[in-house]
Amino acid sequence: MAKKSSADKAASAADENVEKQPQNGEEEPNFSDPEDFVDDVDEEELLGDILATKPSETDGYETVIVVDGVPKVEPKRLEKLQSVVEKILGKHGTIVNKHYPQDPETKETLGYAFFEFSSPQGALTAVEKGNNYKLDKQHTFKINLVTDYKKFETISENWEPPSPQPFKASADLHSYLLDPDAYDQFCIVTGIPGNTLVQVWQNSQPEPVIVEDRPRWTDTYIKWSPLGTYLATFHKLGVALWGGPKFEQQHKFVQRNVECIDFSPLERYLVTYSPRDDSTDKKLTMWDILTGQKKRSFEVKGPSIWPIFKWSHDDKYVACMVENALCVYETPSFGLLDKKSINTPGIRDFSWSPTDNIIAFWLPEDKDVPARVTLMEIPSRNEIRKNNLFNVADCKIFWQKSGDYLCVKVDRFSKKKEKTEQKYTESCKFQNIQHFAGMSYNFEIFHMREKLIPVDSIEMKEPIHAFAWEPVGSKFAIIHGEVPTVNVSFYGVRVGNQPAFLKKLEKRACNHLFWSPSGQFIVMAGLTTMSGALEFVDTNDFTSMNLTDHYQTSDVEWDPTGRYVVTSVSSWKTSVDNGYWLWTFQGRILKRINLNQFNQFNWRPRPPSLLTPEQIKDIKKNLKKYSSQFESKDRLRLTRASKELIEKRHQLMKEFETYRAARIEQFTKQKKRRLELRKNIDTDELDSDTKNMDEEVVEFFVKEETFIVDDK
């Protein structure tokens, strides 16, 4: 027999009491429990739905937060502490109540505090944005809602270790570096926005090999990360990063209408920017690439030059310019360094050293205060060098790749400053004017590795069109002179000496300079207005290796090794002759690839070499020994390619002979039917002497001419 529940027992007892009462209505029923009745029915069983709405002890505390990590101070410093903490938390909502617990004896604060906001939303915002706020080097806020402690009370005391998860190996993001022949990869994009084709190729010899081919892989364009680990694609909902042997999706970052991205140098962080998205004011976002976590968002006001934020070489700092100040943020918290910006009245431009945490920035003239270029160490903010400049119109900052030298190009006004400055300002309002009558140009060279950082100066009176440092070495090149015929001058920088003039190449048709990543070789290109003139120069002896052109060239790209150069004509610039050409570093053409709606060509970057400078020096010293090995390998590869070509031709000939034999056999089988149709006349054997067939003579008028014959 089934055991009765407590509710059933109670119901049975009530029925018995009713049955014992008179039924004539003279007396009311007795609903009291018997003396031996024990009530074992709990409230949850009877009133479960009602108890669910029972007020909680924590009700009304949704607006209260508890902040750990508050400094412990004595009573006389409590007022100052309150003003600092409440100023920080007050940004997230209105604080209506506060409490700083104190030690009963010493009256010193206990290191935590309670704050009540006017609304639950204010408390939630304070938890989301104020948690992990670094007050100083010793104190970091840890913020929680008071109601969160309820879930901590329900944690089971019997802890069970989590079950081990099966190991899942992640894709090798650097597999492309393991190619035995060290072939580089490149990516091309064709098509119109929304209907693009993206292809990744390996620059193998004798013919490139396609690695990946995907339609609509991106909506607009692609970008490689600085070390070549990721391929970034752009979509309406955000940005996706791809990597590994099969280019699988590694991360995605949701932000609508992203048009610009920027990787940090070590690929730890990503910056996304949506300049034309009106749905939010915070259009610029910083992301952690490995976790996909949003680190911080910024509001960008007014037009800006990309990149808005610039990274230090080690990803520790990122900086941007605001009105009269330079803001430096430290990672991974992305908080303002030392909680204050750097006062830089009228700052125009800045740039990080590629190898040290040093910022170079320049400030314009202000009344009697001259313009100046300042070098500042971060995070100490020590000004390690300052150089005053006069009659300055504009400055451009150029770091040498190894950080050994810094060049600041200074555009100076003539003595008639006011008149020239007015003309310069009017002409530069809507376009970048390179030169003005009466202006001069100085190149201030900072020797970063020498004591006290000495500065040398080179002055030029001609208009300047381009400047470029040699990536590996100490040379730099300048394009100067009047268009269309300009000159290219080369200088060399030596320790302790004034920059030495090396060579002047006169009357060149160029407006851009492209150094080889390994140095020594340079391509002087005339892009856009100069119809794609190209000159390949060896700067060891300044020999012109080839003078050629690629009509309407819009881009020039060196491969990471400095062995190949690609010139391309993008449909983003012109709709005629789109495609790319591949050259050797000496200017010998290898391939001409013409593609309709060709948009973009990008070599895949390589990380820095793991070889030490001594090892690299030893390789260069014994280059002949290694070159013979590579030459034999190249010959073997070409022989293998020739063998494959011969085998392919043999296979095609064999297929043709098989097809021909089949057609002859078919022709033979149909001969009887042909004879029947042709009245047993074997037309297959007819020749020019056969006269069995009827002949038909056709005559037609060709030409008629009349001549007058002179009898004399």
Side-chain angles (χ1 to χ4, degrees):
M1 183 180 293
K3 186 177 180 179
K4 291 185 177 181
S5 66
S6 300
D8 294 336
K9 292 179 181 179
S12 299
D15 292 340
E16 292 177 359
N17 289 337
V18 173
E19 291 175 358
K20 292 178 182 179
Q21 300 301 325
Q23 300 298 319
N24 54 11
E26 296 179 357
E27 296 183 7
E28 295 182 359
N30 183 12
F31 290 98
S32 60
D33 296 326
E35 297 180 358
D36 59 344
F37 177 74
V38 178
D39 187 4
D40 58 354
V41 181
D42 56 15
E43 293 182 349
E44 292 184 0
E45 188 173 353
L46 293 176
L47 306 172
D49 55 341
I50 299 177
L51 290 178
T53 61
K54 178 182 177 181
S56 172
E57 294 181 3
T58 59
D59 287 350
Y61 288 94
E62 295 89 352
T63 59
V64 181
I65 64 172
V66 57
V67 182
D68 289 304
V70 178
K72 298 180 180 181
V73 298
E74 58 273 12
K76 64 180 181 180
R77 297 178 57 194
L78 178 59
E79 184 177 353
K80 184 177 181 181
L81 174 67
Q82 290 177 340
S83 64
V84 173
V85 176
E86 291 165 21
K87 181 179 179 181
I88 296 170
L89 298 177
K91 298 177 182 178
H92 312 305
T94 304
I95 299 175
V96 297
N97 200 2
K98 61 192 176 185
H99 176 58
Y100 293 81
Q102 296 175 310
D103 187 279
E105 298 179 358
T106 63
K107 301 299 181 182
E108 187 181 61
T109 58
L110 299 179
Y112 58 92
F114 297 89
F115 295 90
E116 182 181 358
F117 286 81
S118 59
S119 65
Q121 184 60 40
L124 285 173
T125 304
V127 171
E128 292 175 0
K129 298 187 176 181
N131 193 38
N132 293 321
Y133 181 86
K134 191 173 182 181
L135 185 64
D136 53 38
K137 294 182 179 179
Q138 288 79 29
H139 300 91
T140 301
F141 288 167
K142 298 295 182 182
I143 305 178
N144 292 281
L145 292 169
V146 170
T147 53
D148 287 343
Y149 287 90
K150 183 178 180 180
K151 65 182 180 182
F152 299 142
E153 295 174 356
T154 59
I155 297 177
S156 175
E157 296 181 357
N158 299 324
W159 179 80
E160 296 181 1
S163 58
Q165 298 296 322
F167 173 74
K168 183 180 179 181
S170 58
D172 184 4
L173 299 180
H174 301 94
S175 59
Y176 68 100
L177 297 174
L178 302 179
D179 184 80
D181 295 313
Y183 290 134
D184 284 297
Q185 294 182 355
F186 61 85
C187 183
I188 63 172
V189 181
T190 58
I192 60 176
N195 188 22
T196 60
L197 174 66
V198 180
Q199 295 178 325
V200 180
W201 293 77
Q202 188 176 50
N203 190 35
S204 56
Q205 296 297 328
E207 293 292 333
V209 176
I210 194 165
V211 177
E212 200 69 30
D213 184 355
R214 298 186 190 178
R216 293 182 293 278
W217 198 357
T218 182
D219 289 343
T220 52
Y221 68 103
I222 60 95
K223 185 174 182 178
W224 293 104
S225 60
L227 304 180
T229 306
Y230 303 105
L231 176 68
T233 58
F234 294 76
H235 311 273
K236 291 182 179 179
L237 298 180
V239 176
L241 300 186
W242 311 78
K246 300 297 182 181
F247 286 93
E248 301 169 347
Q249 187 179 104
Q250 304 299 318
H251 310 282
K252 60 180 179 180
F253 305 94
V254 180
Q255 180 177 329
R256 296 184 65 88
N257 302 321
V258 174
E259 295 183 18
C260 305
I261 65 171
D262 185 35
F263 289 90
S264 63
L266 299 183
E267 301 181 344
R268 295 175 184 169
Y269 305 102
L270 176 69
V271 184
T272 58
Y273 182 41
S274 304
R276 289 184 281 190
D277 186 8
D278 298 329
S279 61
T280 176
D281 293 332
K282 296 183 177 180
K283 304 174 184 177
L284 189 145
T285 307
M286 305 260 185
W287 306 85
D288 186 300
I289 289 181
L290 291 180
T291 63
Q293 180 184 3
K294 181 187 294 185
K295 304 300 293 185
R296 185 165 180 176
S297 296
F298 293 87
E299 181 179 354
V300 181
K301 296 181 179 179
S304 302
I305 299 176
W306 187 258
I308 300 172
F309 285 80
K310 298 179 182 180
W311 293 91
S312 64
H313 75 287
D314 55 4
D315 287 9
K316 288 186 177 180
Y317 306 99
V318 63
C320 72
M321 293 187 301
V322 296
E323 187 176 0
N324 297 325
L326 181 63
C327 297
V328 180
Y329 300 88
E330 55 184 343
T331 60
S333 65
F334 285 86
L336 193 62
L337 181 65
D338 297 333
K339 303 300 182 291
K340 59 182 179 181
S341 59
I342 302 171
N343 185 30
T344 52
I347 183 171
R348 295 287 186 85
D349 193 15
F350 77 98
S351 181
W352 287 92
S353 165
T355 55
D356 303 284
N357 286 333
I358 297 175
I359 289 183
F361 60 89
W362 80 276
L363 309 178
E365 297 179 67
D366 184 15
K367 297 180 181 179
D368 296 332
V369 179
R372 68 180 185 272
V373 176
T374 303
L375 300 178
M376 179 179 289
E377 286 184 331
I378 299 297
S380 66
R381 305 192 184 206
N382 293 332
E383 294 184 357
I384 59 176
R385 189 66 165 87
K386 188 184 296 185
N387 193 32
N388 292 332
L389 305 169
F390 298 92
N391 300 327
V392 175
D394 192 19
C395 288
K396 292 289 186 294
I397 301 173
F398 302 94
W399 283 96
Q400 193 239 13
K401 187 176 180 180
S402 62
D404 296 338
Y405 303 101
L406 166 68
C407 176
V408 179
K409 172 182 169 284
V410 183
D411 299 354
R412 296 184 184 275
F413 292 118
S414 63
K415 294 182 180 179
K416 298 179 181 180
K417 178 184 174 183
E418 295 181 0
K419 185 176 181 180
T420 307
E421 183 175 5
Q422 182 181 0
K423 291 182 179 179
Y424 183 88
T425 304
E426 292 175 356
S427 298
C428 294
K429 189 173 182 180
F430 299 105
Q431 57 183 337
N432 182 19
I433 300 299
Q434 295 290 338
H435 179 62
F436 240 163
M439 292 191 67
S440 63
Y441 306 89
N442 282 65
F443 295 89
E444 307 290 329
I445 310 297
F446 292 73
H447 298 249
M448 300 299 299
R449 306 304 182 194
E450 298 182 38
K451 188 176 181 181
L452 301 179
I453 310 182
V455 180
D456 295 323
S457 183
I458 299 174
E459 184 178 4
M460 286 189 174
K461 299 293 185 181
E462 297 177 314
I464 306 300
H465 303 279
F467 174 96
W469 282 103
E470 182 183 21
V472 179
S474 57
K475 293 192 288 286
F476 61 85
I478 305 171
I479 300 179
H480 57 93
E482 297 291 345
V483 178
T485 304
V486 297
N487 305 316
V488 183
S489 295
F490 293 86
Y491 292 82
V493 184
R494 297 291 182 268
V495 176
N497 296 321
Q498 180 80 7
F501 175 76
L502 301 177
K503 185 69 174 180
K504 182 178 181 181
L505 304 179
E506 298 182 344
K507 298 181 179 180
R508 272 6 189 222
C510 63
N511 53 15
H512 288 75
L513 299 168
F514 300 94
W515 282 96
S516 164
S518 57
Q520 182 178 346
F521 304 102
I522 190 172
V523 175
M524 303 187 304
L527 306 185
T528 59
T529 59
M530 292 191 176
S531 301
L534 302 170
E535 184 171 3
F536 296 77
V537 177
D538 183 350
T539 61
N540 274 358
D541 52 9
F542 297 99
T543 302
S544 179
M545 299 180 292
N546 190 17
L547 183 61
T548 181
D549 68 274
H550 180 185
Y551 182 64
Q552 291 196 348
T553 297
S554 58
D555 300 281
V556 177
E557 292 275 349
W558 281 91
D559 82 312
T561 64
R563 298 176 63 192
Y564 302 100
V565 183
V566 166
T567 58
S568 58
V569 180
S570 173
S571 63
W572 295 336
K573 302 290 180 66
T574 178
S575 59
V576 180
D577 297 332
N578 299 139
Y580 64 92
W581 293 5
L582 181 66
W583 313 74
T584 67
F585 69 96
Q586 297 168 320
R588 179 169 58 87
I589 187 68
L590 297 177
K591 292 187 180 300
R592 293 182 176 91
I593 309 296
N594 296 320
L595 296 171
N596 291 329
Q597 297 178 337
F598 168 81
N599 299 329
Q600 187 182 12
F601 181 102
N602 283 106
W603 290 102
R604 186 172 192 171
R606 283 180 172 266
S609 174
L610 299 178
L611 299 176
T612 63
E614 291 75 16
Q615 290 174 321
I616 295 176
K617 186 177 180 180
D618 181 68
I619 291 174
K620 290 183 177 180
K621 183 179 179 181
N622 301 290
L623 189 60
K624 290 184 178 180
K625 179 180 70 175
Y626 297 111
S627 61
S628 60
Q629 300 176 10
F630 291 124
E631 287 172 0
S632 62
K633 197 171 184 179
D634 289 341
R635 286 194 297 270
L636 180 62
R637 186 182 298 112
L638 292 174
T639 303
R640 188 185 304 118
S642 300
K643 183 179 179 181
E644 292 174 357
L645 181 61
I646 293 172
E647 291 177 352
K648 184 177 180 180
R649 289 176 177 175
H650 280 309
Q651 180 65 25
L652 292 174
M653 189 63 185
K654 186 177 180 181
E655 292 176 359
F656 170 74
E657 290 176 349
T658 303
Y659 174 81
R660 185 172 182 272
R663 299 286 76 77
I664 292 175
E665 182 180 358
Q666 182 183 12
F667 181 81
T668 304
K669 290 181 178 179
Q670 295 174 349
K671 185 167 185 175
K672 182 179 179 181
R673 180 58 178 165
R674 287 199 304 276
L675 291 174
E676 294 175 356
L677 294 174
R678 297 172 184 176
K679 300 178 181 180
N680 292 325
I681 298 175
D682 189 0
T683 58
D684 299 339
E685 305 296 334
L686 289 178
D687 54 24
S688 58
D689 297 330
T690 303
K691 302 298 181 181
N692 295 331
M693 295 183 65
D694 296 335
E695 295 183 355
E696 181 180 359
V697 178
V698 179
E699 296 181 355
F700 57 91
F701 181 76
V702 178
K703 186 178 182 181
E704 180 180 356
E705 293 183 359
T706 304
F707 298 93
I708 299 176
V709 180
D710 190 357
D711 295 337
K712 296 179 181 181

